[in-house]
Amino acid sequence: MRRMLSSRVNAVRESATIRMSAIAREMKRAGEKVLDFSLGEPDFDTPAHICEAAKKAMDEGFTHYTASAGIPELREAIAEKMRAENGVDASAENVIVTPGAKQAIFEAMLSVLDEGDEVILLEPAWVSFEAAVRIAGGNPKFLRRKEKSVNYEDLRAVVTEKTKMLVVNSPNNPVGYVMDERELREIAEFACDYNIIVLSDEVYEKIIYGKKHVSIASFEGMEERTIVVNGFSKTYAMTGWRVGYAVAPIEIVSAMTKMQQHSATCAPSISQRAALAALKGSQECVAEMVAEFKKRRDLIVKRLLKLGFSCEPMPEGAFYVFVGIPAHALTAAFGDSEASEGDEKRKGVAEDIIFAEWLLRSALVVATPGSAFGEAGRNHLRFSYATSLENIAEGMERLENLLSQ
Ligand code: GLU
């Protein structure tokens, strides 16, 4: 029989973030008292006025297909937001509404990449960027950034004839850094000089602590080469509604719309109405959630540092903390019989994966192994602090008990 699966899908690993959360979900279903720091998903309810707009849409029978690129009012509202808040001169034609921001990333990559085109990813990079590049037939080129900013020379060192795209993700998942204007300007200059398209994932734009978000699309010469991706999941606690968007040059939006016509057709009609209410309504709910995230960040970082994990610098955005696992903690995990080095099956498995499994087994604490975000993430763990202060306190207590045994 012929090989069943395509080489494209074989080149892609399962999403580590989704995998870890699926494990946590299953364990919770089985009645285990799991503390879940795996998924980047706000635990708040979607604000009431947003839910009301969805109910109203249903009552009005707004439950059918919409225009593939999204309802005109929402495309216009997104363009208006881009002009008012991001300094990007967008109109509704520059906007496509998608079923989640992830879909926008896939459509963008499928629209601009040819077989063998290279995409620069700054490591550690969120798990699905690499997958999207590979599925679109491209090749990821990793450049280590971690907490140190990248500059023109760093980028020049990895650029080749085949480089077509560069991905920027600020505020960042998994590290939580926020790129300042100087770094973004240098990346923009590089993109213009080398004629490279920038995909800027700005989905954590509003989840930022005391810093100002700058969109790379706002720099001179960038509007014509930037695909800004954003969504409603994180800002408005709307993960299940599946609604995201991209703002890009019309040519790219048209190509993405073609992809969408042939795949999802459109984002859910009801969710689009809800998203419109989110943008047009009071932003007080966002400020409240961000204030709460900040308290959680302060607590989890303090406790992890106390346990010897390293976290440099302090996360300034998103809701993740990306920590280096201290040697004594690795020793404790490896000392455990089930995770011992002698086990054949364990050979070649990154230490952080073994550590994360040990943490899950021994303390019912779920975190995502850092190596899922690339080589630069080895020996690290990502904790999502989109969970209550009580859960954070208890999770850290379990970690403390485990490491003091
Ligand atoms: N973006 C979130 C995370 O990194 C949700 C899961 C996913 O899409 O990877 O946890």
Side-chain angles (χ1 to χ4, degrees):
M1 192 175 133
R2 285 218 217 167
R3 195 161 47 97
M4 180 123 46
L5 300 177
S6 69
S7 41
R8 280 189 183 183
V9 88
N10 279 336
V12 168
R13 285 177 297 177
E14 192 183 0
S15 160
T17 51
I18 306 286
R19 191 178 88 86
M20 291 311 283
S21 75
I23 294 173
R25 208 183 297 265
E26 266 315 299
M27 290 175 77
K28 278 185 221 160
R29 255 167 57 92
E32 305 263 29
K33 288 225 165 327
V34 170
L35 288 175
D36 188 4
F37 299 93
S38 64
L39 204 57
E41 167 165 44
D43 57 330
F44 304 109
D45 289 333
T46 304
H49 67 283
I50 299 176
C51 295
E52 283 310 319
K55 288 180 202 159
K56 188 160 175 280
M58 278 188 268
D59 290 342
E60 287 172 0
F62 194 72
T63 52
H64 301 276
Y65 292 137
T66 70
S68 208
I71 56 174
E73 314 86 285
L74 181 56
R75 292 176 78 194
E76 182 47 58
I78 292 166
E80 196 181 307
K81 175 225 173 262
M82 292 302 294
R83 294 193 298 267
E85 295 182 7
N86 304 102
V88 178
D89 187 22
S91 67
E93 290 77 49
N94 297 109
V95 178
I96 175 170
V97 180
T98 53
K102 218 181 251 180
Q103 184 76 13
I105 293 168
F106 272 75
E107 286 173 7
M109 301 235 179
L110 286 166
S111 296
V112 303
L113 297 182
D114 271 319
E115 202 70 38
D117 279 347
E118 289 176 358
V119 178
I120 302 175
L121 297 179
L122 305 180
E123 249 196 338
W126 172 55
V127 296
S128 293
F129 290 135
E130 178 183 347
V133 172
R134 291 197 191 280
I135 288 173
N139 288 325
K141 281 281 242 179
F142 293 100
L143 172 64
R144 209 179 164 113
R145 182 195 186 273
K146 210 148 173 268
E147 64 279 352
K148 183 182 91 32
S149 59
V150 289
N151 60 31
Y152 196 101
E153 285 311 309
D154 296 331
L155 293 163
R156 223 163 59 131
V158 290
V159 75
T160 73
E161 288 277 281
K162 293 189 165 165
T163 310
K164 181 84 185 271
M165 184 189 262
L166 183 155
V167 176
V168 169
N169 173 214
S170 170
N172 175 263
N173 174 8
V175 179
Y177 62 72
V178 175
M179 285 181 172
D180 62 20
E181 201 168 324
R182 194 193 44 80
E183 182 175 7
L184 287 165
R185 202 174 279 287
E186 210 153 320
I187 296 172
E189 203 184 317
F190 165 80
C192 290
D193 288 353
Y194 286 85
N195 195 17
I196 287 167
I197 293 171
V198 171
L199 186 145
S200 180
D201 179 348
E202 302 180 12
V203 82
Y204 298 100
E205 165 187 20
K206 302 281 178 182
I207 302 166
I208 193 162
Y209 315 111
K211 276 206 135 182
K212 195 182 160 333
H213 169 74
V214 178
S215 174
I216 194 165
S218 65
F219 295 119
E220 208 188 319
M222 288 306 288
E223 257 172 50
E224 62 206 58
R225 63 178 65 258
T226 307
I227 306 167
V228 174
V229 172
N230 207 328
F232 295 84
S233 297
K234 318 288 184 186
T235 307
Y236 300 100
M238 290 176 70
T239 46
W241 299 76
R242 306 318 299 134
V243 52
Y245 60 88
V247 181
I250 290 178
E251 197 183 348
I252 295 179
V253 169
S254 304
M256 290 174 68
T257 306
K258 211 155 62 171
M259 299 282 159
Q260 192 148 286
Q261 288 169 348
H262 287 299
S263 53
T265 305
C266 59
S269 58
I270 303 156
S271 303
Q272 292 189 59
R273 279 278 188 86
L276 184 62
L279 272 188
K280 295 274 191 193
S282 160
Q283 301 301 300
E284 196 50 41
C285 55
V286 180
E288 281 166 16
M289 288 189 266
V290 173
E292 195 56 34
F293 283 134
K294 184 170 180 296
K295 281 190 216 153
R296 297 167 175 191
R297 176 202 66 171
D298 293 348
L299 177 66
I300 197 165
V301 169
K302 190 169 114 203
R303 298 288 294 264
L304 285 166
L305 288 178
K306 207 168 140 214
L307 287 170
F309 288 81
S310 59
C311 169
E312 277 296 327
M314 180 78 153
E316 295 174 314
F319 31 59
Y320 308 105
V321 51
F322 199 66
V323 287
I325 308 168
H328 74 273
L330 281 176
T331 310
F334 280 80
D336 183 288
S337 59
E338 278 185 72
S340 73
E341 276 178 288
D343 186 339
E344 272 305 307
K345 283 192 299 207
R346 308 271 56 170
K347 290 226 169 91
V349 177
E351 294 81 346
D352 49 283
I353 296 179
I354 295 176
F355 187 83
E357 288 173 359
W358 179 68
L359 198 58
L360 174 60
R361 213 173 39 243
S362 319
L364 299 180
V365 168
V366 191
T368 308
S371 55
F373 303 90
E375 272 301 306
R378 270 188 102 108
N379 277 349
H380 283 70
L381 280 185
R382 187 193 80 168
F383 287 84
S384 159
Y385 51 87
T387 187
S388 69
L389 285 169
E390 293 72 37
N391 283 349
I392 293 172
E394 192 184 332
M396 294 303 108
E397 219 160 280
R398 288 191 195 175
L399 200 54
E400 206 170 292
N401 291 337
L402 188 64
L403 294 178
S404 63
Q405 272 169 23

